[in-house]
C-alpha cells in the first residue's frame, strides 16, 4: 500500500511512518518541518520525504500522486500563546486540511482517509450530578478557581462526578486549536460524503512518549513536567493536582492509525488508554523515574479555560477498529523519564 502521511516528521506522524515502513508499506511524507529546529533523522531510508507546506498546491499535488491511503497528521498543535495565534492555527489546520482535500478531490481519490483529531473537541468531559444525572459542565468561574474550588458544579450547587466521555458527546471546542480540530473532522467527513472515500477521525487523548516536543507553548503537560525534571526543577502541578486525563503512549496511537488505515470503518473514535490518571499522579510517576527526583509541587495556580476532567471511553475504538492500548501507565511513564525529546 502506498500511504501519504502528512506531518510524518512529527512526534506522532514519525511513529506511524516507522510502523508503516516496518511492515513494508511504501510511505510518502509531506511535512513543512515548521515544528523542527533540525531536519528529522529518524525517518527510515525507504521513506520519501517531501518538504512542503499544506498551503503549497504543487507540493500537495505531488504528495497525493498514486497513493492508496492518506493519514493526515500535519497541524499546528497545542494551545499557542494567545488569541493572536488565531490566523496561524486556521491557516495550518482548517485551510491546510481544505487544501489537502481539494488535492485529493482533483485526483478523484476514493481510498482511505484517516485524520488526527483530539479530545479537545469535547471541551469538558462527561459529568453526573448525584441529583440530576448527566449534566453539562459550564466553564469554571474565576471566583471559584481563586477560592480553590476546582470541581465543576451543577446548577444546583452540587459537585459533579466525572465519567468517561463517549464519541456521541456534544462537541464543545473551548479554544482556537480545538475549534480547528472540529473543523478538520467536519471537512474530512464532508469529503467522504462527496467522494465516497472512507473517512475515519481519531480523537487522541494525551499522547506521550519518545520524541515528544520539549516544553513550548505548543507542548503537552507530560513534556512540560519532563523538561522541568531534566533541568533539576520540580514539576509545577496546577490546581490541586486531581484533574483527570487519559495518557496514551505514542506507539499505541501509531498502532491505532495502522488499524484505522486497514479498516473501512467510518466515524470518529477516542484513542485512549482507558486508564485515566490525575495530572498529579503523572507528575509523581515521572519524577520517580529520575534518580535525584524533585518532588512535584502542587501550586493551586490555574489557567482559565483549562478543563478539569477528560477521561475517555475506549470502547468504540475497540469494537470498530480492534484497538486496545498495550503500554501501561507505570511502564510508559518510567520509559518516558528517559526517552529522547525533540
Ligand atoms: N500530541 C498530542 O497529545 C495530540 C493529541 C491530540 C491530537 N493530536 C494531533 O496529532 C497530530 C500530530 O501531532 P503531534 O503531537 O505529532 O505534533 P507535531 O508538531 O510533532 O507534528 C506535526 C507535524 O506537522 C508538521 N506541520 C505543521 N504544520 C504544517 C503545514 N502547514 N504543512 C505541512 N506540515 C506541517 C510539523 O512540521 C510537524 O512535523 C496533529 O494533528 C495534532 O492535532 C496530538
Amino acid at each position: 500500500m502506498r500511504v501519504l502521511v502528512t506531518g510524518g516528521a512529527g512526534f506522532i506522524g514519525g511513529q506511524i511512518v516507522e510502523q508503516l515502513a516496518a511492515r513494508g508499506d511504501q510511505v510518502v511524507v509531506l511535512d513543512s518541518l515548521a515544528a523542527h529546529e533540525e531536519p528529522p533523522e529518524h525517518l527510515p531510508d525507504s521513506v520519501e520525504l517531501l518538504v512542503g507546506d499544506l498551503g503549497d498546491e504543487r507540493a500537495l499535488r505531488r504528495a497525493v500522486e498514486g497513493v492508496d491511503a492518506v493519514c493526515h497528521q500535519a497541524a499546528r498543535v497545542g494551545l499557542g500563546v494567545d488569541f493572536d495565534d488565531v490566523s496561524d492555527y486556521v491557516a495550518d489546520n482548517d485551510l491546510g486540511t481544505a487544501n489537502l482535500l481539494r488535492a485529493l478531490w482533483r485526483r478523484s481519490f476514493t481510498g482511505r482517509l484517516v485524520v488526527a483529531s483530539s479530545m479537545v473537541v469535547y471541551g469538558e468531559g462527561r459529568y453526573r450530578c448525584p441529583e440530576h444525572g448527566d449534566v453539562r459542565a459550564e466553564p469554571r468561574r474565576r471566583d471559584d478557581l481563586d477560592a480553590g474550588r476546582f470541581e465543576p458544579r451543577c446548577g444546583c450547587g452540587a459537585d459533579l462526578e466525572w465519567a468517561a466521555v463517549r464519541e456521541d458527546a456534544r462537541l464543545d471546542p473551548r479554544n482556537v486549536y480545538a475549534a480547528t480540530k472540529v473543523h478538520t473532522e467536519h471537512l474530512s467527513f464532508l469529503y467522504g460524503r462527496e467522494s465516497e472515500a472512507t473517512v475515519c477521525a481519531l480523537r487522541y487523548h494525551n499522547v506521550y512518549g519518545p520524541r515528544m516536543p520539549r516544553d513550548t507553548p505548543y507542548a503537552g503537560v507530560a513534556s512540560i513536567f519532563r523538561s522541568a525534571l531534566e533541568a533539576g526543577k520540580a514539576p509545577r502541578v496546577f490546581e490541586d493536582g486531581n484533574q483527570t486525563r487519559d495518557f496514551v503512549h505514542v506507539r499505541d496511537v501509531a498502532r491505532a492509525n495502522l488499524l484505522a488505515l486497514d479498516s473501512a470503518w467510518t466515524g470518529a473514535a477516542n484513542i485512549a488508554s482507558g486508564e485515566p490518571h490525575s495530572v498529579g499522579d503523572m507528575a509523581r510517576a515521572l519524577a520517580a523515574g529520575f534518580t535525584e527526583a524533585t518532588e512535584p509541587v502542587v501550586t493551586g495556580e490555574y489557567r482559565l479555560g483549562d478543563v478539569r476532567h477528560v477521561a475517555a471511553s475506549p470502547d468504540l475504538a475497540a469494537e470498530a477498529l480492534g484497538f486496545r492500548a498495550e503500554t501501561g501507565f507505570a511502564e510508559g511513564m518510567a520509559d518516558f523519564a528517559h526517552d529522547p525529546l525533540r
Side-chain angles (χ1 to χ4, degrees):
M1 181 159 76
R2 185 173 165 87
V3 188
L4 166 64
V5 184
T6 71
F11 165 48
I12 299 169
Q15 295 283 342
I16 297 172
V17 166
E18 272 178 21
Q19 292 188 15
L20 286 170
R23 72 177 196 183
D25 284 329
Q26 215 185 336
V27 184
V28 185
V29 166
L30 177 71
D31 197 302
S32 62
L33 304 185
H36 303 258
E37 277 170 17
E38 286 159 14
E41 285 174 2
H42 56 271
L43 292 179
D45 292 341
S46 62
V47 170
E48 189 183 334
L49 170 62
L50 305 174
V51 178
D53 195 278
L54 291 169
D56 177 347
E57 201 179 319
R58 268 183 49 194
L60 273 170
R61 205 168 43 230
R62 204 173 140 206
V64 300
E65 231 170 62
V67 296
D68 307 296
V70 177
C71 186
H72 179 36
Q73 304 295 316
R76 182 177 291 259
V77 303
L79 285 179
V81 181
D82 56 32
F83 195 83
D84 202 59
D85 289 335
V86 62
S87 305
D88 297 328
Y89 274 91
V90 170
D92 281 325
N93 301 0
D94 302 40
L95 194 54
T97 301
N99 289 335
L100 169 68
L101 298 174
R102 184 172 63 176
L104 292 171
W105 177 257
R106 290 180 172 171
R107 224 217 72 190
S108 307
F109 174 83
T110 57
R112 180 66 166 156
L113 173 62
V114 175
V115 297
S117 183
S118 169
M119 65 174 215
V120 295
V121 300
Y122 298 119
E124 275 286 1
R126 181 170 164 213
Y127 291 91
R128 287 207 189 104
C129 169
E131 176 93 18
H132 297 101
D134 264 21
V135 292
R136 290 188 49 69
E138 296 307 324
R140 294 174 293 168
R141 294 193 340 229
R142 193 185 282 276
D143 55 337
D144 278 337
L145 295 166
D146 281 337
R149 287 189 298 267
F150 298 117
E151 293 302 330
R153 284 187 295 166
C154 180
C156 73
D159 277 357
L160 296 174
E161 288 164 10
W162 62 266
V165 72
R166 289 198 321 245
E167 290 79 354
D168 56 6
R170 197 179 91 180
L171 303 186
D172 183 14
R174 294 193 178 181
N175 55 57
V176 167
Y177 166 66
T180 68
K181 294 314 281 186
V182 172
H183 202 200
T184 296
E185 280 195 14
H186 287 169
L187 290 174
S188 303
F189 286 123
L190 283 172
Y191 177 79
R193 211 177 304 158
E194 298 271 334
S195 69
E196 294 180 11
T198 62
V199 180
C200 168
L202 301 181
R203 294 178 180 160
Y204 310 155
H205 284 250
N206 286 61
V207 189
Y208 72 98
R211 297 197 299 262
M212 192 171 181
R214 277 171 202 281
D215 185 0
T216 70
Y218 307 95
V221 65
S223 125
I224 293 171
F225 290 171
R226 161 69 201 271
S227 298
L229 284 161
E230 217 160 37
K233 294 185 189 150
R236 295 174 63 78
V237 182
F238 284 4
E239 303 190 12
D240 57 2
N242 292 326
Q243 54 279 47
T244 313
R245 296 291 184 274
D246 186 301
F247 298 97
V248 57
H249 197 273
V250 66
R251 274 192 290 272
D252 282 325
V253 174
R255 203 164 42 76
N257 274 274
L258 269 69
L259 289 166
L261 285 165
D262 291 345
S263 139
W265 180 77
T266 285
N270 287 327
I271 298 301
S273 70
E275 196 195 333
H277 283 271
S278 74
V279 171
D281 272 356
M282 191 270 283
R284 284 184 287 275
L286 205 51
F290 283 74
T291 32
E292 287 168 31
T294 324
E295 274 296 298
V297 180
V298 176
T299 68
E301 289 164 272
Y302 63 85
R303 293 186 307 185
L304 205 64
D306 267 358
V307 295
R308 178 68 175 167
H309 303 290
V310 192
S313 163
D315 296 346
L316 182 60
E319 270 166 43
L321 303 172
F323 170 73
R324 277 182 194 79
E326 286 174 356
T327 306
F329 179 76
E331 175 200 353
M333 285 297 163
D335 287 351
F336 185 55
H338 306 287
D339 281 334
L341 296 183
R342 181 171 90 217

